[in-house]
Amino acid sequence: MTLKPKYFVLVWALAACAGAHGQIRRVTTFREDARNPSWSKDARILFERAGQIVLAGTNPAADRKIASGAAPEWSPSGRFFAFASGGAIVLMDPDTRRILDSFPAGKARQIRFSRDGASLAWMDSGAASIRTGGRLMNLPMPDGLTLANVDDFSASGQELLVTAFRSPGRTEIYACMVARPACRAVTDKRAARQDFARLSPSGRKLVFTSSETAWVPDAPIDYEADLWLATVDPPGKALRMTWFNEPANPRYDPAGARVSSASWSNDGRSLLATITEAPRQDRSRLVKIEFPEPE
């Protein structure tokens, strides 16, 4: 990728940063050495650290390890959560640590509940599994489209938001029907990678990550990505929300940042996201992004 003249790059970045000031009010580090956050209906936060599920306290010293596993996800009710452990998905009461249910799930990751809590979806071995009641099915995918990640359910629960691709290295966000092999593209940035979409609590906005930056090339191992925000209802153009990979921005991360696995607060005022720094070394932290007003 050919670099632009330095003076042009700097002016472009400064102008872009100036246009983004109204989008977020504050960005702070929430937890170091952490990933995969999940925010409950009653404002409790779970995250993953070194193979443990941690319930966040009022400060890092008050954090509690409550289970061994990965990919925690609160149920919509906030009374229990799901996580992957030992080839199974486990449902646990966080207060008593009592296991409410468990079932085989291979190498499950990216566990997601539907809005009504009736269905649970997860990624496993290149396929999206969906469990509703005791019935298990795989998400039907149309020919030519390869699944990469399970991102979220639509507000109605009739579609599953996924990351998928038609050619390797250029992923987009798709909304796929749960009942039949039909998918529609939600994003269209063919020179970049889009990943990790999460629908806002109201269902009106969608946050996702994109490697589309000013001049950073897209590499298959250590590509960098920032957060973008799109209006779903009514449909609107996606706007860049964070600038961790822009040297001209005060929030620039010189180690290189790939943002992923975000979770909204129930009131839509804040977002927790994973930042992987120096991706080849796989160091991660959680950041809290606060908005000027509810989404």
Side-chain angles (χ1 to χ4, degrees), residues 35 276-284:
R35 65 183 66 208
T276 301
E277 296 176 310
R280 287 175 189 258
Q281 299 178 38
D282 200 27
R283 295 194 305 265
S284 63

Side-chain angles (χ1 to χ4, degrees), residues 158-176:
Q158 296 179 359
E159 294 177 309
L160 194 62
L161 296 169
V162 301
T163 300
F165 60 89
R166 296 193 181 277
S167 58
R170 293 292 182 267
T171 56
E172 298 286 355
I173 307 301
Y174 290 84
C176 297

